[in-house]
Amino acid sequence: MSITILGIESSCDDTSAAIIQDGFLLSNVIANQAIHIKYGGVVPELASRAHQQNIIPVVDEAITVAGIKKSDINAIAFTKGPGLLGSLLVGTSFAKGFALANNIPLIEINHLQAHVLVHFIKENNEDKLPDFPFLCLLVSGGHTQIIIVRNYFEMEIIGTTIDDAAGEAFDKCAKSIGLPYPGGPHVDKHAQQGNKHTFKFTKPRIEKLDYSFSGLKTNFLYFLRDNLKQNEHFISENIDNLCASLQYTIIEILMDKLIIASMQTEIKRIAIAGGVSANSGLKARLSELGATYDWTLHIPKNKFTTDNGAMIAITGYYKYLDHNFSNHTVAATARYKF
Ligand code: KG4
Ligand code: ZN
């Protein structure tokens, strides 16, 4: 008998629902919230309201596109945290209601664990899934971590940011040069036309495998301020080179620690995940390093890098196989470690 899981993601500003059947993706519907663009960042209360409007149509569409009936669904998985509490509440409440109404189990999901497990989503029989253990560099808007993945649920964080996340560094610097929110993809586009060696920004010296990005952000802002004093058109005249140099620095910071992590753990299977793993410069650099250090690389498709329901559904699938269900007293949690 097939196992069919509905996954709901609502931790930040994207409402998403997906259907996974026996590990294969049948649908993955994402409603982005355009409302935040004019504020230059996510406004939590608006995000929560938009989730309320989106959740039913998004789930309906996921079921329709998958070509299944509601009664085929064996369990509903939802993001318990971490994320914005108001946003998480919408998905949590919906999932509880859906589970009760359809008399199926409820499965709580850790958003970060789900980002890592995108590597197990199958779209066709040729998809090559990672072997355990592997290292995953999880780089998103809220998190920057190096994780040893020993099993689907046995993950150990061996390095983490002590301040801003890599995605935040992209977004905040992008905002300061007038790029729309979220800035990461815009920086990526401009960087492709620029020379990464034009400007030099500072790399932090942080102990062990941890990261820091707030120094780079400050350095970037002061650098802009000083140059704008001399030339008010500095940004528009240099936008491609600014983006290329900034992106290069972020990638180097990320890669320096990943190389050390691989050497220390002697793990050569390397995966990346999270929104920033869509970055074309990061992927190119990782491929170069992969050749140098003889790494086996696992790079997610772009559609699985940013927040999506498929990652919740695949994690739910493995929890279902493990009979790891939640009861209805489960609550959304803004801070949620694994
Ligand atoms: O994983 P995600 O959707 O949300 C969180 O869980 O945080 O990641 C969003 C982050 C944003 O900071 C966005 O700017 C960044 O991913 N991002 C990128 C790219 N695409 C998305 N950063 C750099 N280059 C990209 N191509
Ligand atoms: Zn995320």
Side-chain angles (χ1 to χ4, degrees):
M1 203 191 77
S2 283
I3 294 165
T4 308
I5 307 290
L6 167 62
I8 306 281
E9 157 60 29
S10 75
S11 67
C12 189
D13 59 342
D14 298 316
T15 321
S16 182
I19 302 284
I20 291 262
Q21 192 166 61
D22 301 329
F24 284 88
L25 185 67
L26 300 187
S27 64
N28 184 34
V29 178
I30 304 175
N32 301 114
Q33 300 181 0
I35 180 96
H36 307 290
I37 291 174
K38 68 177 174 191
Y39 298 100
V42 177
V43 184
E45 179 57 28
L46 295 179
S48 174
R49 289 186 210 179
H51 282 304
Q52 275 179 347
Q53 287 177 346
N54 292 342
I55 192 130
I56 290 175
V58 164
V59 169
D60 262 346
E61 196 182 330
I63 292 172
T64 308
V65 173
I68 60 160
K69 297 190 297 295
K70 222 170 14 177
S71 56
D72 296 329
I73 298 170
N74 296 97
I76 178 163
F78 68 97
T79 309
K80 170 180 153 92
L84 301 170
L85 194 58
S87 294
L88 292 164
L89 274 172
V90 177
T92 308
S93 310
F94 177 87
K96 285 184 186 180
F98 192 94
L100 270 178
N102 295 284
N103 198 22
I104 54 173
L106 186 63
I107 303 176
E108 70 196 62
I109 302 292
N110 180 306
H111 181 85
L112 302 178
Q113 218 163 32
H115 267 301
V116 174
L117 294 184
V118 291
H119 294 284
F120 295 90
I121 299 170
K122 287 187 275 190
E123 289 196 284
N124 55 59
N125 283 316
E126 283 76 56
D127 283 343
K128 173 97 185 71
L129 310 186
D131 291 322
F132 297 113
F134 64 90
L135 288 183
C136 186
L137 174 69
L138 172 57
V139 270
S140 74
H143 299 273
T144 307
Q145 294 167 334
I146 301 176
I147 302 167
I148 302 179
V149 186
R150 296 202 172 85
N151 206 322
Y152 299 110
F153 305 110
E154 234 184 281
M155 301 188 190
E156 184 190 346
I157 298 170
I158 56 171
T160 188
T161 181
I162 58 166
D163 43 56
D164 290 355
E168 246 176 309
F170 270 105
D171 296 343
K172 288 179 177 168
C173 293
K175 192 173 177 184
S176 70
I177 51 175
L179 295 174
Y181 178 85
H186 298 278
V187 172
D188 191 350
K189 271 201 199 107
H190 282 289
Q192 289 170 31
Q193 269 112 55
N195 177 349
K196 63 188 180 192
H197 299 298
T198 316
F199 306 114
K200 201 157 170 46
F201 299 115
T202 44
K203 289 209 278 179
R205 284 183 200 187
I206 304 294
E207 284 194 11
K208 300 185 194 148
L209 296 172
D210 288 336
Y211 289 112
S212 164
F213 287 98
S214 74
L216 170 62
K217 181 185 67 188
T218 309
N219 178 223
F220 189 78
L221 294 180
Y222 278 105
F223 174 84
L224 282 181
R225 193 193 61 180
D226 292 346
N227 280 283
L228 284 169
K229 275 187 202 151
Q230 323 275 331
N231 170 11
E232 60 175 319
H233 303 295
F234 178 74
I235 293 175
S236 57
E237 286 170 7
N238 293 284
I239 188 120
D240 293 341
N241 291 336
L242 275 169
C243 288
S245 303
L246 171 70
Q247 179 172 298
Y248 172 71
T249 313
I250 295 175
I251 293 169
E252 287 304 296
I253 295 171
L254 290 171
M255 293 298 114
D256 285 352
K257 294 289 170 95
L258 188 59
I259 293 167
I260 301 172
S262 169
M263 286 176 172
Q264 282 182 357
T265 58
E266 296 181 9
I267 297 173
K268 287 178 169 237
R269 283 185 285 267
I270 309 284
I272 52 174
V276 179
S277 70
N279 185 270
S280 56
L282 177 69
K283 289 192 277 192
R285 183 74 184 122
L286 196 65
S287 297
E288 282 172 14
L289 292 172
T292 308
Y293 292 103
D294 195 24
W295 288 346
T296 303
L297 296 178
H298 294 279
I299 297 174
K301 294 175 188 147
N302 274 0
K303 63 180 174 182
F304 297 142
T305 58
T306 46
D307 294 346
N308 63 84
M311 69 189 201
I312 306 303
I314 192 71
T315 310
Y317 172 70
Y318 284 105
K319 283 189 111 171
Y320 186 93
L321 295 181
D322 209 28
H323 301 286
N324 190 349
F325 303 124
S326 308
N327 68 42
H328 280 256
T329 56
V330 61
T333 314
R335 290 175 181 274
Y336 181 24
K337 292 196 172 153
F338 60 84

